[in-house]
Amino acid sequence: MIGLQWGDEAKGKLVDLLAPEHDCVVRYQGGANAGHTVVSGDQVYKLHHLPSGILHPQVMNFVTPGVVIEPTTLIRELDGLASRGVEPRTNLMISERSHMVMPWHLLEDQAMNAMAVQGEAIGTTLRGIGPCYRDKVGRNFAFRTTDLRASDLHARIAEIVESKRDLLRGMNQPSLAAQLDVGAITDAAALWAQHLVPMVGDTTNRLLNELDDGKRLLMEGAQGALLDIDHGTYPFVTSSNSSGVGICAGSGIPPRWIKRVIGVAKAYSTRVGGGPFPTELNSEIGQRIRDIGREYGTTTGRPRRCGWFDSVAVRYTARLSGVDALALMMMDVLGHFDEVNICVAYEIDGQLIRDFPCDASVIRRAKPVYETLQGWNCDVTGARELADLPPPAHAFLARIGELVEVPVEIVSVGPDRCQTIFVDKAALLDY
Ligand code: GDP
Ligand code: IMO
Ligand code: MG
C-alpha cells in the first residue's frame, strides 16, 4: 500500500480495512512523521509508529529495519492504546535493526528546520527524521534499537552527546546544545529499554519464515511517493524511500514476494510543508477543500495546502511504484462542487509535459493544464456500491484511471470502514 501524492492519502484507513484479510501488517520506513488515522465506530486512532493493523489482535504487526523509532512517542502510543482497551504489546514485533531517533536528533531537526533550502524551508514534522537517517547512513553516531540492550549505554551516549553538542554550537544553537544531558538521556534510555526490549527481535528472519509458511503480508507505506528521498520533489522530501521502491530495502523482503501494489490517492491533492505543488489552489476553492476535507495535519496540526488532482504527478508515482490498482479517496469531499478539474499536463517554458520533471525548480515553473469535468454535487457518503454513485462521479473515476494508466479498484466516500467501495474485492485480494 503506497501513498502516491505528498502523504496523508488515507493509507491508515485502507490498511486497517484490509488487515483482517492478511496475517501480518508491516511498517517498513519513516517514523513518527507519519500520522495514520484509523476510524473504528465512534473511536478515532492516530498512529505514528504502530502499523495500522494493530487494532486486530489476530494480525501480527511488524516495525522493520527501515523505520526510525522515537521511543517517547512510541511508548505514548502503546500506553494510549492500552488505556483504550487495545493491547498492542501482544501482536507487535520491532526490529532490533531499526534506528532510534534520539533527543539530539530532535534538536538538530529544530535547528536545521530554521534554515531555508533553495529559498524555502522544508517545513519538516520536527520528529528528528532527517538527522536520524543521516546518522544511520553516516554510521558513527547511529543508535539502533538493539543498542538499548548494551551494557555500556552511558559511555555510548556520552560519546555521541559530546559531538552533538559541538555540532549544535557550530550551528549557532548554544541553548539547544545545553539541553543535552548525558545522565538524563541514559536514564531515559533505561526506561525505553524496559518498555520496548520485550518486543524487540529479528523481524527479517521472522517475516521470511512467515512467507515460507504461506502467510499473507500487507506492507504499509508511510508518507507518499512524491516525498521519496531519491525520486520525489527533492530537497522538499522526507529522508526515506516512501515510494514502492522502498518496500524491499526497508523490510528485508525480496521483490519476488510482491504480488499486488495498491496505490492510494485523494481525488484532489494536498501537501504539508514546503516545496513545489503545481495544482495548488490559493483561493476560495482550496480553502473549501481544506474545510470540507478537514485537511489539517494528523501529526503536526498544520493546515494542509490543497489543490486539484494532478494526473502528471500520480501517473509518475504509480509507474515508479509498480501500482496495479488505484484507491481513490475523499470522493465525498469533491461532492460539493459544480465542476471539478483534473491536471492532465504541465506547461513548462512553453512546452507541454506529461512526464513529471526531476528538478524542484522546474516543477515550480509548471503551469497545470486542466480538463474540467462536471461535478457530482451531491452527498455520496452513503454510497456502498458503484451503482450508488452518480454518472459524473463515474466519469471522473474513469478519466483518472485512464490518465494514471491504472484502474480505480477502490473508492472511498468517508473516513469510516464501511464508507468504502470495492470494484471487485475478491479479485483484488486474490494473490
Ligand atoms: P494517512 O497518513 O495516509 O493514513 O492519512 P491521514 O490519516 O493523515 O489523513 C486522512 C484523513 O482523511 C483522516 O482523517 C481520515 O480519517 C480521513 N478519511 C479517510 N478516507 C476518507 C474519505 O474517503 N473521505 C473523508 N472525508 N475523509 C476520509
Ligand atoms: P503520512 O504517513 C504528509 C512531510 C513534511 C515535510 C517533509 C519532510 O501521515 O502520510 P520530515 O519530518 O519527514 O523530515 O518532513 O515531509 N511529511 C509528511 N507529509 N504526511 C506524512 O506522513 C508526512 N511525513 C513527512 O511535512 O514537508
Ligand atoms: Mg497522515
Side-chain angles (χ1 to χ4, degrees), residues 92-109:
L92 177 67
M93 186 177 186
I94 301 167
S95 171
E96 53 204 357
R97 287 188 168 99
S98 59
H99 283 244
M100 302 208 88
V101 176
M102 297 298 279
W104 46 84
H105 293 136
L106 298 172
L107 300 177
E108 283 176 60
D109 204 359

Side-chain angles (χ1 to χ4, degrees), residues 26-32 48-49 62-70 95 97-101 132-133 136 145 250-251:
V26 181
R27 264 289 304 273
Y28 54 86
Q29 44 74 228
H48 300 287
H49 293 97
F62 293 87
V63 176
T64 62
V67 176
V68 293
I69 292 170
E70 202 283 291
S95 171
R97 287 188 168 99
S98 59
H99 283 244
M100 302 208 88
V101 176
C132 181
Y133 278 114
K136 169 181 173 169
T145 304
S251 66

Side-chain angles (χ1 to χ4, degrees), residues 217-361:
L217 271 51
L218 175 57
M219 315 302 290
E220 177 178 7
Q223 290 79 56
L226 293 169
L227 291 171
D228 187 290
I229 181 75
D230 290 306
H231 307 284
T233 52
Y234 194 88
F236 304 98
V237 293
T238 190
S239 300
S240 66
N241 284 117
S242 50
S243 71
V245 305
I247 298 173
C248 298
S251 66
I253 289 166
R256 75 184 174 96
W257 288 105
I258 298 176
K259 304 296 183 204
R260 189 82 83 245
V261 182
I262 299 177
V264 191
K266 294 181 191 191
Y268 47 91
S269 308
T270 64
R271 176 164 205 169
V272 207
F277 180 178
T279 63
E280 181 169 17
L281 292 164
N282 288 313
S283 63
E284 188 245 341
I285 297 178
Q287 186 59 45
R288 274 181 72 202
I289 294 177
R290 185 176 305 116
D291 290 344
I292 300 165
R294 297 204 187 92
E295 293 293 357
Y296 294 89
T298 306
T299 299
T300 58
R302 288 178 291 178
R304 295 174 181 150
R305 300 157 66 191
C306 297
W308 294 119
F309 187 87
D310 183 344
S311 77
V312 178
V314 176
R315 173 174 166 269
Y316 164 65
T317 51
R319 292 171 86 194
L320 171 70
S321 301
V323 169
D324 303 295
L326 211 57
L328 207 69
M329 317 302 283
M330 319 279 187
M331 279 293 281
D332 54 309
V333 177
L334 281 200
H336 293 256
F337 296 88
D338 294 332
E339 287 183 336
V340 290
N341 281 345
I342 302 177
C343 168
V344 295
Y346 295 156
E347 193 202 307
I348 303 175
D349 304 333
Q351 284 204 309
L352 223 53
I353 304 287
R354 274 282 286 156
D355 285 337
F356 193 71
C358 295
D359 196 318
S361 64

Side-chain angles (χ1 to χ4, degrees), residues 5 11 15 33 52 55 62 64 81 98 108 116 161 216 238 247 316 323 342 362 402 427:
Q5 295 160 318
K11 302 171 291 290
V15 170
N33 50 350
S52 300
L55 299 184
F62 293 87
T64 62
L81 281 188
S98 59
E108 283 176 60
V161 162
R216 287 164 64 84
T238 190
I247 298 173
Y316 164 65
V323 169
I342 302 177
V362 177
E402 234 167 55

Side-chain angles (χ1 to χ4, degrees), residues 26 41 45 64 66 91 97 162 193 203 214 218-219 225 293 301 322 417 419:
V26 181
Y45 299 91
T64 62
N91 59 333
R97 287 188 168 99
E162 199 178 322
T203 60
L218 175 57
M219 315 302 290
R417 287 171 180 151
Q419 292 175 301

